[in-house]
């Protein structure tokens, strides 16, 4: 794993960019609350880079195929996603930034599209307490645009996982130093979870029932829809055969003799 110290200049540049975004909004977002906006949106931006395109394709595919015999879209996506963490809404920051109406509704759909582990992480980041303020001050679109800006250099090529983690730690340290009690309430465990959520660790174990062999887990290529359909049919057939075998076994069990 690369040493973050090799990326000190990139980390400092990213910190300046994130703080500049905060300064643009300081009249509507209090400086002591900005960390609870910055951390979630940095994670959203990282998600967009890492899993956005593949998940968009999966969502479109799931909506066109209602014969998967799963209860709802979220479960259909979960059955196909090669990741432990994902977003099933089909939205990303760039799309949300372009919305001019019903931004709060669309953004709620985006939040609800995340897997349960990510929604719990957002709760740890206190995002649910800051979200109403973003809606009230009509800030959602502006904040989405700011963090979707390609000039914000937090991609994995610029900041690999160790450097990204160090960026988050320094932002939290700055926020804690500026806090009246010296602690902004975001601990190291939360930062570690943020890094893991958008890192390679999120890939599901190949062969698990939730992964459909993790879309040929040896690489990150998108799966061809025809191949995916074939895998779904094979999986359904295997399940039916297993059920049939189970029924046959039960049918051939000897019936115990009753005592006269």
């Amino acid at each position: 794993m690369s040493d973050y110290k090799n990326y000190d200049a990139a980390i400092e540049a990213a910190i300046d960019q994130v703080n500049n975004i905060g300064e643009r909004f300081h009249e509507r977002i209090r400086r002591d609350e900005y960390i609870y906006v910055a951390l979630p949106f940095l994670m959203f931006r990282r998600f967009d880079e890492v899993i956005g395109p593949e998940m968009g394709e999966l969502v479109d595919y799931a909506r066109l195929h209602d014969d998967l015999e799963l209860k709802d879209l979220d479960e259909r996506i979960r059955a196909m996603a090669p990741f432990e963490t994902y977003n099933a809404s089909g939205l990303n920051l760039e799309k949300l930034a372009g919305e001019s109406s019903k931004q709060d509704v669309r953004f709620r759909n985006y939040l609800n599209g995340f897997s349960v582990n990510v929604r719990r992480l957002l709760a740890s980041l206190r995002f649910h307490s800051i979200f109403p303020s973003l809606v009230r001050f009509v800030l959602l679109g502006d904040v989405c645009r700011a963090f979707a800006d390609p000039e914000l250099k937090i991609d994995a090529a610029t900041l690999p996982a160790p450097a990204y983690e160090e960026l988050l730690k320094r932002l939290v340290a700055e926020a804690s130093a500026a806090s009246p009690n010296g602690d902004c309430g975001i601990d190291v465990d939360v930062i570690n979870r943020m890094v893991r959520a958008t890192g390679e660790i999120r890939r599901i174990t190949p062969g698990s029932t939730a992964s459909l062999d993790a879309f040929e887990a040896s690489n990150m290529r998108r799966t061809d829809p025809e191949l995916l359909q074939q895998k779904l049919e094979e999986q359904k057939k295997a399940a039916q055969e297993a059920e049939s075998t189970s029924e046959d076994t039960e049918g051939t069990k000897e019936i115990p003799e009753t005592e006269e």
Side-chain angles (χ1 to χ4, degrees):
M1 185 174 287
S2 302
D3 189 331
Y4 77 80
K5 292 180 180 178
N6 296 329
Y7 296 89
D8 259 335
I11 292 171
E12 290 300 328
I15 288 174
D16 287 343
Q17 288 181 305
V18 173
N19 287 338
N20 286 338
I21 292 173
E23 287 303 310
R24 282 159 51 189
F25 298 127
H26 79 270
E27 292 183 356
R28 290 181 287 174
I29 301 175
R30 284 169 32 194
R31 286 185 172 90
D32 60 342
E33 291 185 340
Y34 178 60
I35 190 67
Y36 310 121
V37 175
L39 291 185
F41 273 88
L42 286 171
M43 186 171 68
F44 298 153
R45 170 65 179 271
R46 196 83 166 188
F47 265 116
D48 288 353
E49 177 205 352
V50 176
I51 64 175
E54 287 197 23
M55 288 311 303
E57 183 172 278
L58 285 174
V59 170
D60 291 341
Y61 184 87
R63 286 173 174 158
L64 289 172
H65 295 77
D66 292 328
D67 58 345
L68 305 184
E69 299 180 358
L70 295 171
K71 288 187 296 185
D72 55 30
L73 177 62
D74 186 58
E75 289 196 18
R76 291 200 291 275
I77 296 299
R78 188 180 297 117
M80 294 187 292
F83 312 120
E84 292 176 345
T85 53
Y86 59 85
N87 189 298
S89 69
L91 298 168
N92 56 30
L93 288 186
E94 186 176 359
K95 289 182 180 178
L96 291 166
E99 292 292 323
S100 58
S101 63
K102 297 184 178 179
Q103 287 180 333
D104 59 327
V105 175
R106 297 275 284 173
F107 202 92
R108 288 180 203 277
N109 290 339
Y110 174 66
L111 295 178
N112 292 332
F114 279 111
S115 48
V116 173
N117 51 351
V118 178
R119 295 202 297 271
R120 288 174 179 164
L121 179 52
L122 287 172
S124 299
L125 291 169
R126 305 186 184 184
F127 187 66
H128 298 304
S129 63
I130 202 72
F131 179 72
S133 296
L134 298 181
V135 174
R136 184 167 62 252
F137 293 109
V138 197
L139 269 169
L140 282 175
D142 292 339
V143 175
C144 285
R145 276 187 289 276
F147 282 90
D149 189 340
E151 293 300 315
L152 178 60
K153 301 298 184 183
I154 62 161
D155 57 279
T158 305
L159 293 177
Y164 174 60
E165 181 177 356
E166 182 64 16
L167 163 69
L168 301 178
K169 287 180 178 178
R170 293 188 193 181
L171 288 170
V172 169
E174 285 186 0
S176 291
S179 176
N181 62 359
D183 184 5
C184 71
I186 304 295
D187 59 32
V188 175
D189 175 64
V190 174
I191 294 174
N192 290 338
R193 286 162 59 198
M194 284 181 66
V195 176
R196 289 200 304 271
T198 53
E200 281 303 306
I201 195 171
R202 76 193 185 290
R203 185 173 289 286
I204 292 173
T205 303
S208 69
T209 55
S211 70
L212 286 177
D213 295 333
F215 283 135
E216 310 299 334
S218 60
N219 57 54
M220 293 283 285
R221 291 179 301 183
R222 298 182 187 181
T223 296
D224 180 79
E226 291 184 5
L227 177 59
L228 178 55
Q229 181 63 29
Q230 178 184 337
K231 283 183 172 292
L232 289 169
E233 291 173 354
E234 290 173 356
Q235 194 174 68
K236 184 183 294 186
K237 182 179 179 181
Q240 291 172 341
E241 289 176 351
E243 184 178 346
S244 176
T245 301
S246 175
E247 291 176 351
D248 291 342
T249 302
E250 291 179 0
T252 57
K253 286 182 179 178
E254 293 186 2
I255 300 174
E257 295 182 1
T258 56
E259 295 183 2
E260 293 184 358

